[in-house]
Amino acid sequence: ALREVRTFYFDFDQASIKSDSRPALAAHAAFLAANPSVKVVLEGHTDERGTKGYNMALGERRAKSVQQFLVVNGVSKAQIEVLSYGEERPANAAHNESAWAQNRRAYIEYK
């Protein structure tokens, strides 16, 4: 059931994994470590605040934080692709704190 959670949220201007994300990420790590032929894409996203360049870099840092967590927990780096969409693919297009919180995320896409 924890592996059904594939979206992980971040605080404003942060790329550190929140403690409430760790159990679900650990479940993904256990599955991936046990299935080395399975690959994932980690998508990093940001809210609309900040420049495009800054947001692309922040999205990448978020995806790489998830990657680092997975690797530390036994997943091969060869199983993981990191992408940043920055602010380009908002989960919620509104312009308020609630929407921005939904957009500050990393998403695990199984290939």
Side-chain angles (χ1 to χ4, degrees):
L2 283 174
R3 272 197 344 143
E4 293 175 13
V5 177
R6 298 195 318 178
T7 304
F8 302 92
Y9 297 96
F10 294 84
D11 290 330
F12 175 71
D13 203 27
Q14 297 296 311
S16 54
I17 302 292
K18 291 182 172 187
S19 59
D20 63 351
S21 296
R22 292 178 186 277
L25 283 171
H28 287 284
F31 174 80
L32 289 165
N35 296 278
S37 64
V38 176
K39 296 187 183 305
V40 293
V41 176
L42 304 178
E43 301 175 357
H45 301 270
T46 67
D47 62 36
E48 65 192 26
R49 297 171 291 178
T51 65
K52 282 197 186 300
Y54 182 83
N55 286 339
M56 289 299 286
L58 179 57
E60 183 174 355
R61 287 195 308 275
R62 289 175 174 165
K64 284 187 173 182
S65 286
V66 174
Q67 177 187 39
Q68 179 66 24
F69 183 96
L70 295 175
V71 169
V72 164
N73 286 280
V75 180
S76 167
K77 223 173 178 181
Q79 291 174 263
I80 304 169
E81 180 183 350
V82 170
L83 286 176
S84 176
Y85 290 108
E87 63 192 74
E88 298 302 315
R89 294 186 176 184
N92 185 327
H95 306 287
N96 58 51
E97 185 54 47
S98 175
W100 295 331
Q102 292 175 47
N103 294 334
R104 296 189 301 260
R105 69 198 191 281
Y107 182 75
I108 297 178
E109 180 68 50
Y110 281 82
K111 287 182 157 183

Short mmCIF file of all heavy atoms in Angstrom, two decimals, residues 1-11 16-28 66 69 101 104-106:
data_model
loop_
_atom_site.label_atom_id
_atom_site.label_comp_id
_atom_site.label_asym_id
_atom_site.label_seq_id
_atom_site.Cartn_x
_atom_site.Cartn_y
_atom_site.Cartn_z
N ALA A 1 0.84 -1.21 0.00
CA ALA A 1 0.00 0.00 0.00
C ALA A 1 0.87 1.26 0.00
O ALA A 1 0.52 2.24 -0.64
CB ALA A 1 -0.92 0.00 1.20
N LEU A 2 2.00 1.21 0.69
CA LEU A 2 2.87 2.39 0.72
C LEU A 2 3.43 2.72 -0.65
O LEU A 2 3.68 3.88 -0.96
CB LEU A 2 4.02 2.19 1.71
CG LEU A 2 3.67 2.34 3.18
CD1 LEU A 2 4.86 1.99 4.05
CD2 LEU A 2 3.21 3.76 3.47
N ARG A 3 3.60 1.69 -1.49
CA ARG A 3 4.14 1.95 -2.83
C ARG A 3 3.13 2.68 -3.71
O ARG A 3 3.50 3.20 -4.75
CB ARG A 3 4.57 0.65 -3.50
CG ARG A 3 6.00 0.28 -3.17
CD ARG A 3 6.55 -0.73 -4.10
NE ARG A 3 5.47 -1.35 -4.81
CZ ARG A 3 5.44 -1.74 -6.08
NH1 ARG A 3 6.39 -1.67 -6.78
NH2 ARG A 3 4.42 -2.28 -6.65
N GLU A 4 1.87 2.71 -3.31
CA GLU A 4 0.87 3.47 -4.08
C GLU A 4 1.10 4.97 -3.95
O GLU A 4 0.66 5.74 -4.79
CB GLU A 4 -0.54 3.09 -3.64
CG GLU A 4 -0.89 1.66 -4.00
CD GLU A 4 -2.23 1.22 -3.48
OE1 GLU A 4 -3.02 2.08 -3.03
OE2 GLU A 4 -2.49 0.01 -3.51
N VAL A 5 1.79 5.38 -2.90
CA VAL A 5 2.15 6.79 -2.72
C VAL A 5 3.35 7.06 -3.62
O VAL A 5 4.43 6.50 -3.42
CB VAL A 5 2.51 7.11 -1.25
CG1 VAL A 5 2.95 8.55 -1.12
CG2 VAL A 5 1.34 6.80 -0.34
N ARG A 6 3.15 7.88 -4.65
CA ARG A 6 4.23 8.15 -5.59
C ARG A 6 4.57 9.63 -5.70
O ARG A 6 5.47 10.01 -6.44
CB ARG A 6 3.88 7.57 -6.96
CG ARG A 6 3.73 6.06 -6.89
CD ARG A 6 3.73 5.35 -8.18
NE ARG A 6 2.97 6.00 -9.23
CZ ARG A 6 2.87 5.55 -10.47
NH1 ARG A 6 3.49 4.45 -10.82
NH2 ARG A 6 2.16 6.18 -11.37
N THR A 7 3.84 10.47 -4.99
CA THR A 7 4.11 11.90 -4.99
C THR A 7 4.60 12.30 -3.60
O THR A 7 3.96 11.96 -2.60
CB THR A 7 2.84 12.71 -5.34
OG1 THR A 7 2.34 12.25 -6.60
CG2 THR A 7 3.15 14.19 -5.44
N PHE A 8 5.71 13.02 -3.59
CA PHE A 8 6.34 13.43 -2.33
C PHE A 8 6.52 14.94 -2.34
O PHE A 8 7.04 15.49 -3.32
CB PHE A 8 7.68 12.70 -2.15
CG PHE A 8 7.48 11.21 -2.16
CD1 PHE A 8 7.57 10.49 -3.34
CD2 PHE A 8 7.11 10.55 -1.00
CE1 PHE A 8 7.34 9.12 -3.36
CE2 PHE A 8 6.87 9.19 -1.02
CZ PHE A 8 6.98 8.47 -2.20
N TYR A 9 6.06 15.59 -1.28
CA TYR A 9 5.99 17.04 -1.24
C TYR A 9 7.16 17.64 -0.47
O TYR A 9 7.74 17.00 0.40
CB TYR A 9 4.65 17.47 -0.63
CG TYR A 9 3.50 17.02 -1.49
CD1 TYR A 9 2.81 15.84 -1.20
CD2 TYR A 9 3.12 17.74 -2.62
CE1 TYR A 9 1.78 15.40 -2.02
CE2 TYR A 9 2.09 17.31 -3.43
CZ TYR A 9 1.42 16.14 -3.13
OH TYR A 9 0.39 15.70 -3.94
N PHE A 10 7.46 18.89 -0.80
CA PHE A 10 8.59 19.61 -0.22
C PHE A 10 8.14 20.96 0.31
O PHE A 10 7.17 21.54 -0.18
CB PHE A 10 9.68 19.84 -1.28
CG PHE A 10 10.32 18.56 -1.74
CD1 PHE A 10 9.74 17.80 -2.73
CD2 PHE A 10 11.50 18.11 -1.17
CE1 PHE A 10 10.32 16.61 -3.16
CE2 PHE A 10 12.09 16.93 -1.58
CZ PHE A 10 11.50 16.18 -2.57
N ASP A 11 8.87 21.45 1.30
CA ASP A 11 8.62 22.79 1.81
C ASP A 11 9.12 23.82 0.80
O ASP A 11 9.94 23.51 -0.08
CB ASP A 11 9.33 22.99 3.16
CG ASP A 11 8.68 22.16 4.26
OD1 ASP A 11 7.46 21.93 4.20
OD2 ASP A 11 9.42 21.76 5.18
N SER A 16 14.86 18.87 0.82
CA SER A 16 15.09 17.78 1.77
C SER A 16 13.82 16.93 1.93
O SER A 16 12.71 17.46 1.93
CB SER A 16 15.57 18.32 3.11
OG SER A 16 14.68 19.28 3.60
N ILE A 17 14.04 15.63 2.07
CA ILE A 17 12.94 14.67 2.22
C ILE A 17 12.28 14.90 3.58
O ILE A 17 12.94 14.94 4.61
CB ILE A 17 13.47 13.23 2.14
CG1 ILE A 17 14.21 12.96 0.82
CG2 ILE A 17 12.35 12.22 2.37
CD1 ILE A 17 13.36 12.96 -0.39
N LYS A 18 10.96 15.01 3.57
CA LYS A 18 10.22 15.16 4.83
C LYS A 18 10.12 13.80 5.53
O LYS A 18 10.05 12.76 4.87
CB LYS A 18 8.81 15.68 4.55
CG LYS A 18 8.76 17.11 4.06
CD LYS A 18 7.32 17.53 3.88
CE LYS A 18 7.18 19.00 3.59
NZ LYS A 18 5.77 19.41 3.58
N SER A 19 10.09 13.83 6.84
CA SER A 19 10.06 12.57 7.61
C SER A 19 8.81 11.74 7.29
O SER A 19 8.88 10.51 7.27
CB SER A 19 10.15 12.85 9.10
OG SER A 19 9.08 13.65 9.53
N ASP A 20 7.68 12.38 6.99
CA ASP A 20 6.48 11.61 6.68
C ASP A 20 6.54 10.94 5.32
O ASP A 20 5.72 10.08 5.00
CB ASP A 20 5.21 12.46 6.83
CG ASP A 20 5.15 13.64 5.87
OD1 ASP A 20 6.14 13.94 5.18
OD2 ASP A 20 4.08 14.28 5.82
N SER A 21 7.53 11.29 4.48
CA SER A 21 7.71 10.65 3.17
C SER A 21 8.54 9.38 3.27
O SER A 21 8.50 8.54 2.36
CB SER A 21 8.40 11.61 2.21
OG SER A 21 7.61 12.74 1.96
N ARG A 22 9.31 9.25 4.33
CA ARG A 22 10.28 8.16 4.43
C ARG A 22 9.68 6.75 4.37
O ARG A 22 10.23 5.89 3.68
CB ARG A 22 11.14 8.34 5.68
CG ARG A 22 12.04 9.56 5.55
CD ARG A 22 12.88 9.80 6.80
NE ARG A 22 13.62 11.05 6.68
CZ ARG A 22 14.78 11.18 6.05
NH1 ARG A 22 15.33 10.14 5.48
NH2 ARG A 22 15.37 12.36 5.98
N PRO A 23 8.57 6.45 5.06
CA PRO A 23 8.04 5.09 4.97
C PRO A 23 7.66 4.67 3.54
O PRO A 23 8.00 3.57 3.11
CB PRO A 23 6.82 5.11 5.89
CG PRO A 23 7.09 6.21 6.85
CD PRO A 23 7.84 7.25 6.06
N ALA A 24 7.00 5.54 2.81
CA ALA A 24 6.62 5.21 1.44
C ALA A 24 7.85 5.10 0.54
O ALA A 24 7.94 4.20 -0.30
CB ALA A 24 5.64 6.24 0.89
N LEU A 25 8.81 6.01 0.71
CA LEU A 25 10.05 5.92 -0.08
C LEU A 25 10.80 4.64 0.24
O LEU A 25 11.38 4.02 -0.66
CB LEU A 25 10.93 7.15 0.16
CG LEU A 25 10.49 8.42 -0.56
CD1 LEU A 25 11.30 9.61 -0.07
CD2 LEU A 25 10.62 8.25 -2.07
N ALA A 26 10.81 4.24 1.50
CA ALA A 26 11.47 2.99 1.88
C ALA A 26 10.79 1.79 1.22
O ALA A 26 11.47 0.83 0.81
CB ALA A 26 11.48 2.83 3.40
N ALA A 27 9.48 1.83 1.09
CA ALA A 27 8.75 0.75 0.40
C ALA A 27 9.14 0.70 -1.08
O ALA A 27 9.34 -0.38 -1.64
CB ALA A 27 7.25 0.94 0.56
N HIS A 28 9.26 1.86 -1.72
CA HIS A 28 9.71 1.90 -3.12
C HIS A 28 11.14 1.35 -3.22
O HIS A 28 11.45 0.58 -4.13
CB HIS A 28 9.66 3.32 -3.67
CG HIS A 28 8.28 3.81 -3.95
ND1 HIS A 28 7.55 3.41 -5.04
CD2 HIS A 28 7.49 4.67 -3.28
CE1 HIS A 28 6.37 4.00 -5.03
NE2 HIS A 28 6.30 4.78 -3.96
N VAL A 66 15.35 12.42 -3.71
CA VAL A 66 14.65 11.14 -3.73
C VAL A 66 15.60 10.05 -4.23
O VAL A 66 15.67 8.95 -3.66
CB VAL A 66 13.36 11.22 -4.56
CG1 VAL A 66 12.72 9.85 -4.70
CG2 VAL A 66 12.38 12.20 -3.94
N PHE A 69 17.98 9.04 -1.49
CA PHE A 69 17.30 8.21 -0.50
C PHE A 69 17.19 6.77 -1.01
O PHE A 69 17.47 5.82 -0.28
CB PHE A 69 15.90 8.77 -0.20
CG PHE A 69 15.18 7.99 0.87
CD1 PHE A 69 15.21 8.42 2.18
CD2 PHE A 69 14.48 6.84 0.56
CE1 PHE A 69 14.55 7.70 3.18
CE2 PHE A 69 13.82 6.11 1.54
CZ PHE A 69 13.86 6.55 2.86
N ALA A 101 1.78 24.57 -2.67
CA ALA A 101 2.18 23.42 -1.86
C ALA A 101 2.01 22.11 -2.64
O ALA A 101 2.83 21.19 -2.50
CB ALA A 101 1.38 23.38 -0.56
N ARG A 104 5.00 21.75 -5.27
CA ARG A 104 6.36 21.51 -4.76
C ARG A 104 6.50 20.02 -4.47
O ARG A 104 6.26 19.55 -3.36
CB ARG A 104 6.60 22.32 -3.49
CG ARG A 104 6.56 23.81 -3.70
CD ARG A 104 7.02 24.57 -2.46
NE ARG A 104 6.23 24.30 -1.28
CZ ARG A 104 5.26 25.10 -0.82
NH1 ARG A 104 4.97 26.23 -1.43
NH2 ARG A 104 4.62 24.79 0.29
N ARG A 105 6.91 19.25 -5.48
CA ARG A 105 6.85 17.80 -5.34
C ARG A 105 7.90 17.09 -6.19
O ARG A 105 8.49 17.66 -7.09
CB ARG A 105 5.46 17.30 -5.74
CG ARG A 105 5.19 17.43 -7.24
CD ARG A 105 3.71 17.36 -7.57
NE ARG A 105 3.46 17.22 -9.00
CZ ARG A 105 3.51 18.23 -9.87
NH1 ARG A 105 3.82 19.46 -9.48
NH2 ARG A 105 3.26 18.02 -11.15
N ALA A 106 8.08 15.82 -5.87
CA ALA A 106 8.79 14.88 -6.72
C ALA A 106 7.83 13.71 -6.94
O ALA A 106 7.05 13.36 -6.06
CB ALA A 106 10.08 14.41 -6.06
#
